[in-house]
Every structure is written in structure tokens, then in C-alpha cells.
């Protein structure tokens, strides 16, 4: 969970826009767009004030861990 906290601090105004959800039994998949403004504290993100946008998805269920991956 440390990486989630790091990205939360790095993009304080982050927005997630859900594009699609799919449920199959106990599993759920969500496709979304991630957007916000860089705080400039992570070297792999744009400099402070730079925009960040990325498509992403998450799949979760009772037998899996949540996974957040670029689409």
C-alpha cells in the first residue's frame, strides 16, 4: 500500500473517471481514467504543476488482490 500513498501525495487533486465496469460472479473489473496535477515529488512524473493522465484498470474478487495497472 506504500505506493498508493506515494501516488496520492504526488497527485493531490487526482480524479478517477469510471469508463466501464464488468461483474462476473464474485469478480469485478473497472476501467477508468486517472487524471490530476503533479506535485513534483516523484521523479517518474511530470514536474510540479504538470498534467498527468493515464488509462487504468482494476480487477478484484474474493480470491485475488486488487491490481492497478496501466491499460
Amino acid at each position: 500500500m506504500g505506493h498508493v500513498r506515494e501516488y496520492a501525495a504526488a497527485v493531490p487533486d487526482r480524479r478517477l473517471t469510471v469508463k466501464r465496469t464488468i461483474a462476473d460472479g464474485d469478480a469485478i473489473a473497472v476501467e477508468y481514467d486517472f487524471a490530476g496535477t503533479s506535485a513534483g515529488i516523484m521523479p517518474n512524473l511530470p514536474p510540479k504543476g504538470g498534467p498527468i493522465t493515464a488509462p487504468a484498470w482494476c480487477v478484484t474478487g474474493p480470491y485475488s488482490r486488487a491490481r492497478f495497472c496501466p491499460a
Side-chain angles (χ1 to χ4, degrees):
M1 288 297 287
H3 68 284
V4 173
R5 287 188 195 98
E6 289 174 9
Y7 275 97
V11 188
D13 67 342
R14 65 203 167 279
R15 296 175 306 284
L16 303 178
T17 303
V18 175
K19 295 167 58 177
R20 175 173 41 172
T21 58
I22 301 168
D24 185 5
D26 290 338
I28 299 171
V30 180
E31 179 184 9
Y32 59 95
D33 287 329
F34 177 93
T37 306
S38 176
I41 61 175
M42 291 189 76
N44 59 334
L45 294 178
K48 185 173 184 175
I52 296 171
T53 58
W57 57 270
C58 171
V59 177
T60 189
Y63 304 107
S64 68
R65 299 175 140 201
R67 290 174 170 72
F68 297 90
C69 306

